[in-house]
Amino acid sequence: MPQIIPIRDLKKTSELSEMCRKAKEPVFITKNGYGDMVIMSMETYEKTMLMNDIYRKIDAAEQSITKGEVMDGFESLRNTREKYGL
């Protein structure tokens, strides 16, 4: 379940840092009852960026398939072997 805290709690930096590390997900900050910011640990940020990169690559691959920009697997291996003298 997502952590939601008011902006006034940002003053408690040590507690907030610990909360982010333990939660392993973003912590949502509210201002006057409305969403204002999101903070997260470096570990969570890096995992999120990695997953975003993977999703972008999968999307690009799916678009290539849709456009017919694909190569036979055996042909690809043959080209790679020839290129690197394997």
Side-chain angles (χ1 to χ4, degrees), residues 26-40:
V27 176
F28 298 88
I29 312 299
T30 60
K31 183 176 181 181
N32 299 324
Y34 296 96
D36 188 50
M37 293 184 279
V38 177
I39 59 173
M40 63 184 85

Side-chain angles (χ1 to χ4, degrees), residues 55-72:
Y55 292 142
R56 275 193 298 273
K57 288 177 180 177
I58 289 172
D59 184 54
E62 288 176 344
Q63 288 180 21
S64 292
I65 291 169
T66 301
K67 294 176 185 175
E69 300 170 346
V70 295
M71 182 184 295
D72 177 71

Side-chain angles (χ1 to χ4, degrees), residues 46-85:
E46 289 170 355
K47 286 181 181 178
T48 301
M49 292 297 102
L50 175 64
M51 292 307 298
N52 285 341
D53 186 47
I54 290 169
Y55 292 142
R56 275 193 298 273
K57 288 177 180 177
I58 289 172
D59 184 54
E62 288 176 344
Q63 288 180 21
S64 292
I65 291 169
T66 301
K67 294 176 185 175
E69 300 170 346
V70 295
M71 182 184 295
D72 177 71
F74 292 115
E75 182 182 342
S76 177
L77 284 173
R78 187 172 40 258
N79 291 345
T80 301
R81 288 180 178 140
E82 288 173 4
K83 181 177 180 179
Y84 296 103

